[in-house]
Amino acid sequence: MFKLFKYDFRAISRRLVPLYLVAIVIGVVNQICSTVVIRMSSHISEGNAVYAIFYVLKMVFSFSFILMMSYVSILTIFILITNFNNSVYGNEGYLINSLPISSKDLIFAKYFNFVFWTFVSGILYIIFYIIGVSNSILASGQNVDIPKSELDLMKQRIFSSPYLSTIIEIIIIFVICLILHQLLYSWIFMMCVTFANLVKSNKLIMGIVTYIVTGVIIGIIYLSVMVSFFLKLGSVTGNGAAVFDLVRNYGIICIIIEILLNIGVFFLINYIHSKKIDLE
């Protein structure tokens, strides 16, 4: 499996690394231009026509970071999906499917590459988002300085709270749920490709329908959990400890659901890939 992962990693990196380098170069140039415009505009009075031009430029540079985030994320998913489809079910599939490797190892090798590159794109997304928000705040001229006294008071309230340990547990549970949810969507994208190859024609439509149906099913599951949570929340309102315990318990339930969904989608992909699709 490791050799297949390494081979697939190299194939994907030849397409994604140039994409990320272009995004980083454009982002650096954008940031330099944005910084120059913001500093120059600070020396111009608001009534001046030049100020309006600089204000528009600041907003354009800030908004461009949002477009950069979408550009990186969408193209990453598109390249990963097309790579999985072409290398397993397309013209390149005869080579991989003829290797002495089990269906599970093949799927895991593809999945780990999917997870790695979506993680990298996620890091870039966060970086571009932070820069974009920072530039938007600077461009608007808002003052975000918080007095030290308010920060000290905030720290005192947080660390003196009797629910501090429970809050930390809830944060950890939330992070675990978020990670598992992102892992699940890597499985879902692969599942959509697998389902799409069950049919000879209209594969794109089949993949889109699979994605929508899967989203509806997951939405119904979480809607039922939310309804149950809010029904129980009404009975413990006013009791801080009971509320935090309820949030923590339902967070654990969400973790269990995410784990079961990840396992279930994997076995479904493996079953369809090995039993239902003609790979000859």
Side-chain angles (χ1 to χ4, degrees), residues 62-79:
S62 300
F63 181 69
S64 65
F65 275 100
I66 299 175
L67 295 179
M68 191 67 64
M69 291 187 300
S70 304
Y71 159 77
V72 170
S73 301
I74 293 173
L75 282 183
T76 297
I77 296 299
F78 175 78
I79 289 173

Side-chain angles (χ1 to χ4, degrees), residues 16-17 19-25 65 68-73 76 117-132:
L16 283 181
V17 170
L19 168 69
Y20 294 155
L21 290 176
V22 170
I24 291 171
V25 169
F65 275 100
M68 191 67 64
M69 291 187 300
S70 304
Y71 159 77
V72 170
S73 301
T76 297
W117 290 109
T118 50
F119 174 78
V120 172
S121 70
I123 295 297
L124 289 175
Y125 184 96
I126 293 172
I127 292 173
F128 283 131
Y129 180 81
I130 293 174
I131 294 174

Side-chain angles (χ1 to χ4, degrees), residues 181-252:
H181 195 68
Q182 293 303 313
L183 294 177
L184 174 61
Y185 266 87
S186 293
W187 283 123
I188 289 174
F189 285 127
M190 292 176 62
M191 183 184 69
C192 292
V193 174
T194 306
F195 266 84
N197 282 277
L198 283 172
V199 297
K200 298 297 183 182
S201 59
N202 298 320
K203 292 184 178 183
L204 178 60
I205 295 176
M206 182 65 172
I208 294 173
V209 170
T210 303
Y211 183 82
I212 293 173
V213 171
T214 304
V216 170
I217 294 172
I218 294 175
I220 292 173
I221 293 172
Y222 277 103
L223 180 62
S224 62
V225 172
M226 286 180 61
V227 170
S228 174
F229 170 76
F230 283 112
L231 288 175
K232 291 187 178 181
L233 183 63
S235 63
V236 298
T237 302
N239 186 342
V243 171
F244 281 113
D245 287 339
L246 183 66
V247 173
R248 179 183 57 195
N249 293 338
Y250 268 85
I252 294 172

Side-chain angles (χ1 to χ4, degrees), residues 23 75 84 99 104 123 127 135 140 155 196 207 222 226 229 236 266 273-274:
L75 282 183
F84 177 61
L99 295 174
K104 291 181 181 179
I123 295 297
I127 292 173
N135 285 343
S140 62
K155 292 178 183 178
Y222 277 103
M226 286 180 61
F229 170 76
V236 298
F266 160 69
H273 174 80
S274 58

Side-chain angles (χ1 to χ4, degrees), residues 2-72:
F2 177 74
K3 289 184 178 179
L4 180 58
F5 169 83
K6 186 168 66 172
Y7 170 81
D8 201 43
F9 179 87
R10 289 175 178 174
I12 296 174
S13 63
R14 284 194 293 267
R15 302 175 67 183
L16 283 181
V17 170
L19 168 69
Y20 294 155
L21 290 176
V22 170
I24 291 171
V25 169
I26 294 175
V28 170
V29 173
N30 194 323
Q31 179 62 22
I32 293 172
C33 295
S34 179
T35 303
V36 171
V37 168
I38 290 172
R39 289 183 177 180
M40 291 180 66
S41 63
S42 62
H43 302 291
I44 302 173
S45 60
E46 294 188 13
N48 197 316
V50 180
Y51 178 84
I53 296 174
F54 276 110
Y55 184 82
V56 172
L57 287 174
K58 287 189 293 184
M59 291 304 173
V60 168
F61 285 129
S62 300
F63 181 69
S64 65
F65 275 100
I66 299 175
L67 295 179
M68 191 67 64
M69 291 187 300
S70 304
Y71 159 77
V72 170

Side-chain angles (χ1 to χ4, degrees), residues 147-199:
K148 187 177 182 299
S149 57
E150 292 187 12
L151 287 175
D152 293 338
L153 180 61
M154 190 183 304
K155 292 178 183 178
Q156 183 180 359
R157 288 179 178 177
I158 291 174
F159 289 106
S160 63
S161 172
Y163 310 117
L164 179 61
S165 60
T166 308
I167 293 173
I168 294 174
E169 290 178 7
I170 292 172
I171 293 173
I172 293 172
I173 290 171
F174 173 78
V175 172
I176 294 173
C177 282
L178 186 62
I179 292 172
L180 288 172
H181 195 68
Q182 293 303 313
L183 294 177
L184 174 61
Y185 266 87
S186 293
W187 283 123
I188 289 174
F189 285 127
M190 292 176 62
M191 183 184 69
C192 292
V193 174
T194 306
F195 266 84
N197 282 277
L198 283 172
V199 297

